[in-house]
Amino acid sequence: AAAFLMSNFQANLRALFQYEPSDLAKVVSQLNKRVMDNAKGEKYITLFAAVYNRRDQSLQYINCGHNPPLLMSADGKARQLELGCCGLGMFRDIPSIESGSETIAPGATLLCYTDGLVEQENADDVPFGMQRMEEVVRERRGMSVQAVQDALMNAVIEFKGEEPSFDDTALMVVRFK
């Protein structure tokens, strides 16, 4: 059921962005209605949606209940992209949607991830956490996206040691030029 919901969601996402790419709030509202229609209120989806404009180097985003992505500038200053709304499919109509906007300077890195990365615990039941994630990214800024991604995954594996992974982990690293 979850795979079917996600497959349907991805098709709707592609179709809506094809026709409404600049109106994120409208896309999110329409996606919410489609998730609600398909899942009947029994499941919900978290999502980070963003549109980047290369001409003016602006990023418009809405975080729909997902782990807040990390945006790190070339000089190592970091912030989380938290503005948005609840997860999709939680309510028939989303109570409020707050769009975020960031100006992206060259060399900035955007890190999107699932909770399996930051919530992974070690033998002492300590989670990997946002601070460790941020440190790994900061130490490797300027390196290739692949190097950042590999270093982060290796850091989580080393941190957890023999502890089992209790959740899946997805990671996307983007570098702006």
Side-chain angles (χ1 to χ4, degrees):
F4 178 72
L5 179 64
M6 286 309 297
S7 175
N8 187 295
F9 179 76
Q10 288 175 3
N12 280 306
L13 182 68
R14 285 186 186 105
L16 289 171
F17 265 105
Q18 204 169 18
Y19 298 106
E20 300 286 350
S22 62
D23 192 345
L24 276 178
K26 187 173 183 179
V27 169
V28 165
S29 292
Q30 290 175 339
L31 284 170
N32 182 68
K33 285 181 180 19
R34 292 181 185 183
V35 171
M36 185 57 87
D37 289 345
N38 290 324
K40 311 290 187 234
E42 295 178 15
K43 296 190 183 318
Y44 65 92
I45 294 174
T46 65
L47 167 78
F48 176 78
V51 175
Y52 178 66
N53 183 322
R54 281 186 240 173
R55 275 181 250 130
D56 66 5
Q57 297 177 313
S58 66
L59 181 80
Q60 305 297 321
Y61 75 89
I62 297 176
N63 187 347
C64 305
H66 199 68
N67 292 81
L70 178 73
L71 180 62
M72 185 172 292
S73 62
D75 66 1
K77 292 180 185 165
R79 60 190 169 283
Q80 295 178 24
L81 304 183
E82 299 176 305
L83 298 179
C85 63
C86 60
L88 305 181
M90 293 180 146
F91 301 98
R92 170 111 352 244
D93 294 310
I94 297 174
S96 70
I97 299 175
E98 189 173 5
S99 297
S101 180
E102 297 285 336
T103 299
I104 309 292
T109 302
L110 177 66
L111 182 76
C112 298
Y113 57 94
T114 57
D115 58 354
L117 189 131
V118 292
E119 293 177 3
Q120 176 61 54
E121 295 179 348
N122 65 11
D124 296 324
D125 297 328
V126 175
F128 185 75
M130 286 290 299
Q131 184 176 351
R132 282 184 188 84
M133 182 181 74
E134 191 174 312
E135 287 171 8
V136 169
V137 176
R138 184 173 287 112
E139 289 169 1
R140 285 156 185 86
R141 63 186 192 279
M143 292 183 174
S144 73
V145 167
Q146 188 66 54
V148 173
Q149 185 170 313
D150 290 346
L152 193 48
M153 293 309 297
N154 289 336
V156 171
I157 290 167
E158 184 179 320
F159 176 81
K160 77 179 188 86
E162 298 298 316
E163 291 300 303
S165 297
F166 62 88
D167 200 357
D168 62 329
T169 299
L171 173 64
M172 181 177 77
V173 181
V174 176
R175 176 81 35 74
F176 297 91
K177 295 186 179 206

